[in-house]
Amino acid sequence: EVLNVGDEIRGIVLKFDRESERVSLGYKQLKAVPWTTATLKYPTGSRVKGKVVSLTDYGAFVELEEGVEGLIHVSEMSWSKKVKHPSKVLTVAQEVECVVLGIDQEAHRISLGLKQVESNPWEQLVEKYPVGSKIKGRVRNLTEFGAFVEVEDGIDGLIHISDMSWSKVKHPSEVLKKGDTVEAQVLSIDADNQRLSLGLKQLQTGIWKDFFDKHRVGDVVDGKVVRLTNFGAFVELADGIEGLIHVSEFDSSQGGEKLELRAGETYQMKIIRLVPDERKIGLS
C-alpha cells in the first residue's frame, strides 16, 4: 500500500546488529509524528471529516489523517435511536463529518461523536412540549409498569401505570392497547437522560370536578364493588371514579353485624367524606 519493488527511498537507521548482519530501517520517522500536533488540529468541540476504516461491535474507527484515527462509540451515533451495531448507521470507506468529544494525546486516542453534528431533539422537546402541555402519540409497547408512547420518530414517553387512571390499575392492558393513539399530559422531561414522563389520568380532572360539584357528604349513592382488600372495599361510583368503604364501615345498622360485600355487586351507600384535592371519597 505504501511501497513498490524497485522504488528508491530514503530511510532512517533504527537499529544495526553487526553479529546478525541486520539493519532495521524506518520510513515513517522521516515525517513528523502526527499525534504531536493532534491537540492543536483537533480541539474538543471542533467538527472534523474523515473516512470510516473499520467497524466493531462497539463503534467505528475514522481516519482523520494518515496515522491518526478516532473512535465513534456506538452510543454517540444517534440521539433518539438505540443503535444495535455501527453497521446500521455507517459503512467502511464512508466519508463522515463528526465532532471531537475528547482527545488523549499520550494514549493516541480521539473520541468522536456523530450525533453531535445534529441538534439534540430532546432539548427541542423541552421547548415544544413544556410540562403541563398535551401531547399525542401511538402506544408502541406495554410493560408491567406502564406504556411507552412514541411521540416523535425515535422518541418515546412513558405513561407509568400509576398515572393511567385515578382508579387502581393492575396492568396497563386494562387501559391501553398496543397501537392505540392516545392524548396525554407531559409530566416531566429529562433531556440529559432522555426521559419523558406522561400521564393519562391528569387529563381526567373534569369527571372528578363534576362529581364533587354534584355531591355532598350525606348523599346516598349506588356503587359497584370492584375489589376487596383487608382494609376495605373499593367502589366504582361512576366511570373512572372510585371511593373507599373502610372495613370499619361494614357494620350493619341492625346488631352491628359485618356485611358481606361481594366484588361485582352493586349496593346503596352513603358518602361520609369528600376530599376534592386528593380525589378521595369515603363511603359507608
Side-chain angles (χ1 to χ4, degrees):
E1 296 177 11
V2 180
L3 302 172
N4 296 306
V5 175
D7 285 352
E8 287 197 9
I9 64 166
R10 290 173 60 84
I12 290 181
V13 177
L14 302 179
K15 185 179 180 183
F16 173 53
D17 190 332
R18 186 181 299 276
E19 293 182 3
S20 62
E21 297 182 354
R22 287 180 182 172
V23 181
S24 296
L25 303 175
Y27 186 65
K28 69 180 185 182
Q29 286 78 2
L30 293 173
K31 300 178 181 179
V33 179
W35 284 94
T36 56
T37 58
T39 305
L40 297 175
K41 293 178 69 174
Y42 307 111
T44 300
S46 62
R47 290 195 177 198
V48 293
K49 290 183 178 180
K51 183 176 71 173
V52 178
V53 291
S54 65
L55 299 175
T56 70
D57 290 338
Y58 56 85
F61 285 93
V62 177
E63 184 182 58
L64 303 179
E65 62 175 89
E66 186 179 359
V68 178
E69 292 182 3
L71 172 67
I72 305 176
H73 192 269
V74 67
S75 63
E76 302 296 345
M77 291 186 175
S78 174
W79 286 113
S80 54
K81 295 179 180 179
K82 188 175 181 180
V83 181
K84 294 182 178 180
H85 194 275
S87 60
K88 301 292 183 181
V89 180
L90 300 171
T91 57
V92 173
Q94 180 180 346
E95 295 286 339
V96 294
E97 183 179 23
C98 37
V99 173
V100 178
L101 304 181
I103 183 167
D104 186 339
Q105 187 167 313
E106 292 183 2
H108 292 184
R109 290 177 183 170
I110 297 180
S111 297
L112 303 173
L114 188 64
K115 67 184 182 182
Q116 286 78 4
V117 175
E118 301 176 353
S119 59
N120 185 350
W122 282 90
E123 293 178 355
Q124 297 175 349
L125 209 67
V126 176
E127 299 177 2
K128 289 172 66 176
Y129 306 109
V131 173
S133 62
K134 295 179 182 179
I135 195 170
K136 278 188 176 182
R138 181 179 61 86
V139 177
R140 192 179 59 80
N141 191 28
L142 295 177
T143 69
E144 293 291 330
F145 56 84
F148 286 96
V149 178
E150 185 178 54
V151 296
E152 290 189 4
D153 184 30
I155 294 181
D156 289 347
L158 173 66
I159 304 176
H160 193 270
I161 190 171
S162 62
D163 288 309
M164 289 188 172
S165 174
W166 293 108
S167 304
K168 187 174 178 61
V169 178
K170 292 183 179 179
H171 193 275
S173 58
E174 297 177 14
V175 181
L176 297 171
K177 296 190 299 293
K178 187 176 180 179
D180 283 351
T181 298
V182 297
E183 185 177 47
Q185 182 172 308
V186 177
L187 303 182
S188 66
I189 299 179
D190 185 347
D192 292 336
N193 295 307
Q194 298 186 2
R195 290 175 182 169
L196 170 61
S197 296
L198 304 173
L200 275 183
K201 71 180 185 182
Q202 286 76 9
L203 298 180
Q204 301 169 355
T205 55
I207 58 174
W208 284 89
K209 184 178 184 301
D210 289 345
F211 186 90
F212 286 120
D213 286 347
K214 294 177 181 178
H215 295 84
R216 296 289 180 270
V217 172
D219 288 355
V220 176
V221 293
D222 290 332
K224 183 174 73 173
V225 176
V226 290
R227 61 188 178 282
L228 296 168
T229 69
N230 57 359
F231 58 84
F234 285 94
V235 177
E236 184 180 59
L237 300 174
D239 187 26
I241 294 179
E242 286 186 4
L244 173 68
I245 306 176
H246 192 268
V247 67
S248 61
E249 299 297 332
F250 281 18
D251 291 345
S252 168
S253 57
Q254 292 88 16
E257 296 180 359
K258 293 282 184 182
L259 295 175
E260 292 291 336
L261 300 180
R262 295 181 181 179
E265 295 292 329
T266 300
Y267 302 89
Q268 270 198 335
M269 55 202 68
K270 181 177 289 187
I271 298 174
I272 59 174
R273 184 169 173 254
L274 292 172
V275 188
D277 293 341
E278 299 179 17
R279 292 182 171 84
K280 289 183 178 179
I281 302 170
L283 303 166
S284 177

